[in-house]
Amino acid sequence: MIWVHRIAIAIGLWAVLLMPSHANTDGRYASIIVDAESLDVLHARQIDALRHPASLTKIMTLYLVFEALDRGTLSMGQTVTVSAVAARTPPVSMGLKPGQAVSIDTLIQAVAVRSANDAAVVLAETLSGDETRFADVMTAKARSLGMRQTIFRNANGLPHPEQITTARDMAKLAHATMREFPYYYHYFGQESFRGARNTNRLLTRRDDVDGFKTGYTRASGYNLVISAVRDDRRLIAVVLGGASSGARNTHMSDLIDRGFAVMDQIELAGKAPAPTPERSPQFVQASAARTPVATNWALQINGFDSPAEAEILSDRLVRAANRGQVAQRSRQGADRVHYSVRVEGLDNWTARSLCADHPRLLGIEPRRCLVLSTTNPG
């Protein structure tokens, strides 16, 4: 459990600094930082709230192209013919013409570097015959990668009301792409294509950023996924719903720095005793006026994918109330293990208070929070 406290302490030190100073007020903002090796969540804001991916969609399009390349059903030098449908795709585009022959390698670069919508449609048609069938394949692949809330309706991210994702799902996709196709990852870090700069300006503004993708529609706001590496430590960060490209880039740059700072604090926490956390004033004032009561109650919030995340969030609740103990709970589902945030050793009032305030304390969307008796669990 010591490592959980170290991570929680580090998160606590930076929680205020990680709050976006220019987040949209229209409900589009969300962000997440994860350790790319352990998948520990280092920062979370509205990570399960439904958002529009815009051109972040193209990461999945290229994931499926990379799969086909590995299977041998596509080859880099292979040329394909542009359809009339693909040629009519709205910008940003390569300006492809019906009947034009173009190589798979060229299409990949156009999608990854310049976010070309027509190139994405050509790739979709090449793999599945038409874009609608390809979108179904994209959604099925999302489910297999644990992206539980993502739905794709097209290959390029152009506006569609049913095309949705979450910050958590986008981090999972980025991680899976790097893990499964490290030899193709360089496309997402390519700085230019045919003389035009990559849409991800942080590639040239920061030495530690080496790849990934931008996106924008009116419905989505300004989106960005990045991966950055320092001293053999890598993180993945996602910002959705930025107010402008400049504001998004500034905020992402701050998140990168703070994410690595959290990693530094985790490392330092391993070399010294953990400090006693401050108690939440809400619980300090209430406990001072109350007489001791039975601590045979627990709270439990189900449905987390990562045991590390569940333990970190459980520990955050313990620190907020300055009482209780983290308890591990998991359940084997049909295709994956589900983990729970659980704190035991509470009195009934504290358990109910923590449940009522869990969205603010944990920085997550409201979930069903159970108050359970540990002496009569049935």
Side-chain angles (χ1 to χ4, degrees), residues 194-207:
R194 293 183 173 176
R197 290 192 300 169
N198 194 305
T199 57
N200 180 5
R201 298 294 190 253
L202 293 187
L203 284 170
T204 54
R205 293 176 185 173
R206 295 186 62 107
D207 292 336

Side-chain angles (χ1 to χ4, degrees), residues 276-356:
T276 302
E278 292 184 9
R279 300 174 66 184
S280 169
Q282 169 189 353
F283 295 104
V284 171
Q285 294 167 6
S287 61
R290 294 165 62 245
T291 58
V293 293
T295 56
N296 59 337
W297 293 87
L299 71 83
Q300 184 167 310
I301 308 172
N302 299 323
F304 294 86
D305 295 331
S306 163
E309 180 185 12
E311 289 196 71
I312 291 167
L313 296 180
S314 299
D315 186 79
R316 196 178 296 180
L317 294 176
V318 170
R319 294 189 304 119
N322 199 28
R323 65 189 66 192
Q325 305 87 38
V326 174
Q328 295 182 337
R329 286 290 186 276
S330 63
R331 177 179 62 83
Q332 179 63 56
D335 57 352
R336 60 186 178 275
V337 178
H338 302 273
Y339 299 91
S340 299
V341 169
R342 184 177 173 99
V343 178
E344 296 181 351
L346 301 173
D347 60 82
N348 184 273
W349 182 90
T350 300
R352 292 183 182 279
S353 297
L354 288 171
C355 269

Side-chain angles (χ1 to χ4, degrees), residues 39-268:
L39 293 187
D40 288 336
V41 177
L42 305 176
H43 159 83
R45 293 289 179 271
Q46 308 296 329
I47 62 175
D48 293 317
L50 296 179
R51 302 290 186 255
H52 296 294
S55 285
L56 301 186
T57 297
K58 297 182 176 86
I59 302 175
M60 178 61 85
T61 298
L62 292 181
Y63 184 102
L64 294 172
V65 170
F66 298 154
E67 273 196 337
L69 289 167
D70 278 6
R71 288 196 307 264
T73 54
L74 285 182
S75 64
M76 284 294 186
Q78 176 182 346
T79 58
V80 295
T81 303
V82 177
S83 72
V85 171
R88 289 197 299 268
T89 306
V92 176
S93 72
M94 288 182 66
L96 297 172
K97 306 299 182 184
Q100 180 179 346
V102 60
S103 73
I104 296 298
D105 180 61
T106 297
L107 292 169
I108 291 172
Q109 292 182 70
V111 170
V113 180
R114 293 300 301 162
S115 202
N117 294 322
D118 52 356
V121 175
V122 175
L123 290 169
E125 293 176 340
T126 299
L127 287 175
S128 297
D130 64 54
E131 191 176 11
T132 299
R133 284 196 290 268
F134 185 74
D136 291 339
V137 176
M138 295 170 74
T139 300
K141 177 57 65 175
R143 293 296 174 275
S144 74
L145 296 177
M147 300 167 64
R148 295 186 296 173
Q149 301 192 75
T150 296
I151 297 173
F152 293 110
R153 297 303 188 200
N154 59 51
N156 47 34
L158 284 171
H160 192 296
E162 296 177 5
Q163 184 130 323
I164 54 174
T165 191
T166 67
R168 186 201 300 271
D169 279 2
M170 281 292 110
K172 289 179 178 179
L173 176 58
H175 178 262
T177 303
M178 298 178 69
R179 179 191 65 219
E180 299 298 327
F181 309 109
Y183 34 85
Y184 297 132
Y185 175 62
H186 66 88
Y187 282 109
F188 296 104
Q190 186 173 318
E191 293 183 3
S192 64
F193 171 67
R194 293 183 173 176
R197 290 192 300 169
N198 194 305
T199 57
N200 180 5
R201 298 294 190 253
L202 293 187
L203 284 170
T204 54
R205 293 176 185 173
R206 295 186 62 107
D207 292 336
D208 49 5
V209 173
D210 61 8
F212 272 131
K213 189 73 187 71
T214 62
Y216 170 76
T217 66
R218 287 185 180 180
S220 71
Y222 290 84
N223 298 342
L224 179 59
V225 176
I226 66 91
S227 184
V229 61
R230 289 186 197 172
D231 301 324
D232 297 323
R233 295 178 301 177
R234 179 177 289 277
L235 59 75
I236 294 167
V238 180
V239 169
L240 304 179
S244 67
S245 60
R248 173 202 63 193
N249 292 345
T250 298
H251 181 47
M252 176 62 85
S253 191
D254 182 60
L255 287 181
I256 294 167
D257 291 336
R258 301 306 180 184
F260 282 119
V262 169
M263 290 181 172
D264 289 340
Q265 291 297 322
I266 294 169
E267 184 176 349
L268 290 173

